[in-house]
Amino acid sequence: VVPGWLIDRAINRNLRRALQHHGVHVAAGHFGAHGRHGGIGHELDAHTIKRGAATQIGRIGEQEGAPPVVLCTLPDPGVSPAFIALHPDPLKRAVASAKIALMNNQLKTLAGQAGTPLADIHAVLLAMAVADPFELNRIPFVNAGHPENPSDHLYCKDSLHPALVASGLIAAEVIEA
């Protein structure tokens, strides 16, 4: 799985070489969701993102010897401790979550139409958020960040990005797709 910024660079500058050396993880956020990440007022145009993702899937699929493409749903930042702290009004978070759900439905439709595997990252992070506490193999994990990034916390110190265990669950979802 290649980080999103590297995918952008590869697509824009040297896609063929990158595809020969790396597996590709096609993330929804890289196809038209430009602007502030996760801002409550940020308009997500699900159809623009779907068109962009379809274009990139087609371009990657045309490359000789290209590795498989996995389309991922967009995670809802509204379930992260940082986002909840920044935007405590649940009604505003619900508006943003509804927009993300609309976009994810478009991406699921696209994956089905294109015959592209879909990793439901949204569902993975949502399952961690609603469990109290979240447990994996009967081991409880803290749904928060911590300045020292201990392994029992689901979020990094910024309380927005997934930490080790959460990243592992996301990676497992991508691999299973």
Side-chain angles (χ1 to χ4, degrees), residues 38-77:
I40 288 290
H42 182 63
E43 291 295 322
L44 292 174
D45 181 349
H47 298 289
T48 299
I49 293 170
K50 181 181 174 186
R51 279 192 311 271
T55 299
Q56 295 305 331
I57 288 169
R59 285 182 188 166
I60 293 167
E62 292 170 359
Q63 302 297 318
E64 186 176 322
V69 173
V70 175
L71 186 63
C72 296
T73 57
L74 180 67
D76 184 350

Side-chain angles (χ1 to χ4, degrees), residues 4-21:
W5 63 267
L6 185 56
I7 292 172
D8 288 342
R9 182 182 297 165
I11 289 170
N12 292 329
R13 292 188 185 163
N14 199 351
L15 179 61
R16 181 178 291 276
R17 192 175 93 212
L19 292 176
Q20 290 172 349
H21 300 299

Side-chain angles (χ1 to χ4, degrees), residues 87-173:
H87 302 284
D89 183 347
L91 294 177
K92 287 183 179 180
R93 287 196 315 270
V95 169
S97 293
K99 292 176 184 179
I100 291 168
L102 173 66
M103 187 181 66
N104 282 337
N105 287 336
Q106 292 286 327
L107 292 170
K108 289 174 184 178
T109 299
L110 170 62
Q113 291 171 345
T116 300
L118 179 81
D120 196 348
I121 304 306
H122 177 265
V124 170
L125 293 175
L126 185 60
M128 290 187 304
V130 299
D132 186 26
F134 177 75
E135 292 186 355
L136 184 61
N137 296 327
R138 294 185 290 197
I139 299 170
F141 290 89
V142 180
N143 191 11
H146 188 279
E148 296 179 10
N149 288 332
S151 60
D152 67 337
H153 281 60
L154 294 173
Y155 287 90
C156 293
K157 61 185 172 185
D158 65 4
S159 294
L160 178 65
H161 294 93
L164 182 65
V165 169
S167 294
L169 293 172
I170 292 169
E173 176 71 13

